[in-house]
Amino acid sequence: QTGPVIDMPVPASFNDITQDPSLENYIGWVWYEKEVLLPLRWLQGDPAPRVLLRFGSAHYYSIVWVNGVQVVEHEGGHLPFEADISSVVQGSPGSLCRITVALNNTLTPHTLPPGSIQYMADKSRYPKNYFVQNIKFDFFNYAGIHRPVVLYTTPAAYIDDITVTTTSSDSVAVVHYQVAVAGSTASSLSLSLRDQEGKVVATGDGPVGELKVLNPNLWWPYLMHENPGYLYSLEVRMQAQLGRALLEDVYTLPVGIRTVHVTSSQFLINGRPFYFHGVNKHEDADIRGKGLDWALIVKDFNLLRWLGANSFRTSHYPYAEEIMDLCDAYGIVVIDESPGVGIKLPESFGNKSLQHHLAVMEELVRRDKNRPSVVMWSVANEPASELPPAAHYFKTVIAHTKALDPSRPVTFVTDANYALDHGAPYVDVICVNSYFSWYHDPGHLEVIPLQLTAQFENWYKTYHKPIIQSEYGADSVPGLHSDPPMMFSEEYQQAMLREYHSVLDQKRKEYVIGELIWNFADFMTNQGTTRVLGNKKGIFTRQRQPKAAAFLLRDRYWKIANESSCLPPVITSHSHFL
């Protein structure tokens, strides 16, 4: 023990929990410890069950011990990892089981996201051994055990993995499945697919096969169908003989039947053109930082549906599985993004970084491959893709992701010049971030029509691929008003959105397939002269209260939904129809 021991809730970031300013910006190792008593039935039997310890995520480098025995190491946040701890705990039934976690949140040029440690050598200006963590991304580098930690069991022989893909025509759909069993070489598998009423609509057996569903209910996005997010449940049942014991393992997987296809100018879901009218988000809130919070999650989904948003991007890292479950259930379409944000330094494009990025994509695809809400993978956000090594880097990462999952398009989000971007040749959809009249020509709204039109036309004539405006927006301090509009006022945020929307309305008739506002809600960042307690580009405050721009966007999104939908028009206020 090298420092004070304090209570720390899990899941939560540790940064904002105390009054200690050194913990707020702490970089380095922290230690978590907890003792639990395992049920005796977990530790007995022939064969005894497997006991597993699973972390939803921890930032960023984790080493885990159980009763002083190291059981797992994991590099990277935002994704789950687990350890089989059976051999450690089964020798001592009835005694407490001590779980110890060492976490290090240091970011280097080879982590994802990358960063660098800078030591300040000038002794006249800085204390001895003084250093700062440099990052090239604009959100606070929260750390801690951010998602639930669970102990669970499986039989000694168990279902290890399931992969599902779907195809459909008018009257019949096919659910292709692949099931991996571990712990036994002689097992049998039976599968049954149930609809939402619990009726069995298809059955199968064996590790690989297909289930045919007549007159299927397709998985449709929110506002595209009166019954969005339709989920079947696939029950996979394994039986295996191990010694004298007959073991059984059952896993139920939600399955949405839907197809995704990209043309040179459209994004098709179930063969129908889909327009992304959505948001970029962050896992970020007062006090808990990036810690999972069910009340906040449900509030955010209620706000998304109130807004008429049909989609979001998991900027700039994979979100909690609990969030993804609700996207599947509510029909919210997701661009699932890796933690590849802030890849700016030349050394972050080397082989060490590339190998880690490939491993992260494997973890992400394994976690989210069966989700109908996930329609596209994003491997990075705003990398320095104008650097020559970016060509090999993104060609490799995108090819690897497609090999892992041939069923989905792959992109990354760029802010590079269209003529200089070495990664863009390898994406299926062009995703562009731009902040005309904010970071460029600040205060000059009048340049937006010209600059945004040129942006779209240059990208399209170069690549002939559909385009998403994946970020645009302006900071507004709630309650700050100015007419004529001035930067940081609620009016300026609205005015910028209107200018973007008028160009988007022209280009969405051609090849622009989506618009994602930056950002859904205000969020915390590092301190800096352009950040007043964080980034204020949210259309909602950090406490999830609407700014003026939220109502503007709500009117727009419901109008777009009513144009493209076969649903009856929706009244979005008491006073007028859209």
Side-chain angles (χ1 to χ4, degrees):
Q1 183 183 324
T2 56
V5 176
I6 58 173
D7 287 334
M8 187 55 62
V10 172
S13 302
F14 60 68
N15 309 76
D16 294 347
I17 299 292
T18 75
Q19 301 311 107
D20 182 352
S22 66
L23 198 59
E24 175 75 34
N25 297 294
Y26 180 81
I27 302 293
W29 291 101
V30 297
W31 295 74
Y32 287 77
E33 196 160 75
K34 185 180 178 72
E35 291 187 324
V36 294
L37 193 60
L38 301 181
L40 277 175
R41 67 180 181 279
W42 285 19
L43 310 175
Q44 296 165 341
D46 183 22
R50 293 166 71 240
V51 181
L52 293 111
L53 173 62
R54 185 183 195 272
F55 291 77
S57 77
H59 279 210
Y60 284 94
Y61 194 89
S62 312
I63 308 174
V64 183
W65 295 262
V66 172
N67 294 338
V69 178
Q70 186 177 322
V71 293
V72 67
E73 265 184 76
H74 184 258
E75 183 180 349
H78 314 288
L79 288 163
F81 59 97
E82 65 181 19
D84 183 338
I85 62 168
S86 316
S87 59
V88 181
V89 296
Q90 275 160 356
S92 49
S95 54
L96 283 170
C97 165
R98 187 175 76 253
I99 300 165
T100 311
V101 184
L103 271 192
N104 194 317
N105 62 339
T106 307
L107 297 176
T108 74
H110 308 299
T111 55
L112 216 62
S116 59
I117 297 293
Q118 182 179 0
Y119 281 91
M120 303 303 197
D122 185 343
K123 298 252 186 355
S124 67
R125 298 178 64 201
Y126 300 99
K128 192 180 175 189
N129 296 328
Y130 190 86
F131 68 90
V132 290
Q133 167 81 74
N134 290 322
I135 52 175
K136 301 284 188 184
F137 52 83
D138 185 35
F139 54 93
F140 191 78
N141 189 29
Y142 281 113
I145 300 176
H146 284 156
R147 296 178 190 156
V149 182
V150 296
L151 284 156
Y152 73 100
T153 64
T154 76
Y158 58 97
I159 298 163
D160 186 44
D161 194 22
I162 306 168
T163 307
V164 164
T165 55
T166 62
T167 52
S168 66
S169 62
D170 288 343
S171 58
V172 65
V174 180
V175 177
H176 308 266
Y177 67 85
Q178 200 168 342
V179 181
V181 170
S184 167
T185 50
S187 62
S188 65
L189 286 163
S190 62
L191 298 88
S192 54
L193 188 72
R194 296 175 189 269
D195 64 16
Q196 283 186 348
E197 278 69 56
K199 180 170 163 248
V200 175
V201 294
T203 59
D205 52 61
V208 181
E210 45 186 53
L211 307 171
K212 286 196 170 58
V213 184
L214 295 175
N215 302 315
N217 288 298
L218 300 184
W219 187 94
W220 286 102
Y222 176 54
L223 299 179
M224 214 170 164
H225 191 272
E226 62 193 354
N227 188 10
Y230 191 97
L231 293 173
Y232 292 85
S233 58
L234 177 65
E235 183 185 276
V236 182
R237 190 174 292 270
M238 178 222 75
Q239 288 192 324
Q241 194 76 38
L242 215 61
R244 282 182 294 187
L246 179 66
L247 301 179
E248 185 169 66
D249 192 18
V250 181
Y251 193 91
T252 304
L253 180 77
V255 171
I257 297 173
R258 65 106 184 93
T259 59
V260 169
H261 183 63
V262 177
T263 73
S264 63
S265 62
Q266 288 185 314
F267 196 99
L268 304 174
I269 295 181
N270 299 330
R272 278 180 52 194
F274 177 76
Y275 187 78
F276 294 79
H277 45 92
V279 303
N280 296 276
K281 290 183 93 278
H282 265 301
E283 290 182 320
D284 171 275
D286 290 323
I287 301 170
R288 72 219 19 93
K290 289 195 177 307
L292 182 96
D293 177 2
W294 266 116
L296 183 80
I297 289 169
V298 175
K299 175 68 172 176
D300 281 4
F301 274 97
N302 286 328
L303 288 174
L304 283 171
R305 293 188 293 181
W306 173 88
L307 192 65
N310 62 6
S311 51
F312 66 78
R313 169 168 68 122
T314 69
S315 45
H316 295 299
Y317 38 81
Y319 290 178
E321 291 155 288
E322 291 83 350
I323 293 173
M324 306 300 284
D325 287 343
L326 290 184
C327 292
D328 290 337
Y330 292 162
I332 301 295
V333 169
V334 178
I335 300 170
D336 203 352
E337 188 160 277
S338 88
V341 59
I343 306 175
K344 302 289 193 185
L345 299 170
E347 56 263 52
S348 295
F349 289 92
N351 202 45
K352 187 175 179 186
S353 296
L354 177 58
Q355 293 311 311
H356 178 52
H357 202 147
L358 298 179
V360 168
M361 293 314 299
E362 287 169 18
E363 289 183 28
L364 175 57
V365 171
R366 181 174 165 111
R367 194 194 77 164
D368 288 347
K369 63 186 172 183
N370 295 321
R371 297 187 176 280
S373 60
V374 175
V375 299
M376 183 157 60
W377 305 109
S378 167
V379 300
N381 177 75
E382 295 187 357
S385 47
E386 69 282 356
L387 296 177
H392 171 71
Y393 189 93
F394 285 109
K395 182 180 183 180
T396 307
V397 174
I398 289 170
H400 188 66
T401 306
K402 290 192 165 198
L404 294 166
D405 174 25
S407 74
R408 288 178 181 88
V410 181
T411 189
F412 73 88
V413 176
T414 184
D415 64 348
N417 181 292
Y418 75 96
L420 303 176
D421 194 312
H422 290 288
Y426 308 107
V427 303
D428 297 302
V429 172
I430 303 283
C431 291
V432 188
N433 295 349
S434 61
Y435 290 90
F436 304 126
S437 87
W438 192 260
Y439 296 120
H440 313 275
D441 302 297
H444 292 280
L445 294 162
E446 65 277 5
V447 305
I448 294 174
L450 189 68
Q451 294 182 3
L452 186 57
T453 301
Q455 168 199 284
F456 288 137
E457 290 177 355
N458 286 332
W459 276 103
Y460 196 73
K461 77 174 185 220
T462 307
Y463 288 106
H464 291 283
K465 294 172 181 175
I467 303 172
I468 295 174
Q469 182 71 44
S470 40
E471 287 183 27
Y472 69 104
D475 287 77
S476 72
V477 177
L480 207 58
H481 295 289
S482 167
D483 186 54
M486 291 180 72
M487 291 177 76
F488 292 97
S489 68
E490 292 196 41
E491 287 75 13
Y492 193 91
Q493 188 181 34
Q494 283 184 298
M496 181 202 264
L497 266 54
R498 282 194 194 97
E499 293 292 348
Y500 263 78
H501 295 162
S502 65
V503 178
L504 285 162
D505 282 340
Q506 293 307 309
K507 295 302 176 189
R508 67 188 172 96
K509 296 171 190 163
E510 302 174 55
Y511 47 75
V512 169
I513 57 161
E515 56 192 72
L516 305 174
I517 188 74
W518 188 267
N519 191 285
F520 173 75
D522 293 346
F523 57 92
M524 192 48 68
T525 63
N526 271 0
Q527 296 181 66
T529 49
T530 62
R531 294 284 173 259
V532 186
L533 281 181
N535 186 307
K536 296 286 189 275
K537 289 191 184 69
I539 57 167
F540 298 100
T541 65
R542 202 182 191 206
Q543 293 73 36
R544 277 40 183 191
Q545 300 306 316
K547 302 178 192 176
F551 296 96
L552 180 145
L553 209 60
R554 180 176 192 244
D555 281 350
R556 173 172 180 77
Y557 282 0
W558 282 103
K559 186 171 174 223
I560 291 174
N562 287 333
E563 282 169 15
S564 60
S565 167
C566 52
L567 303 178
V570 178
I571 305 169
T572 59
S573 76
H574 296 301
S575 57
H576 65 284
F577 287 90
L578 285 178

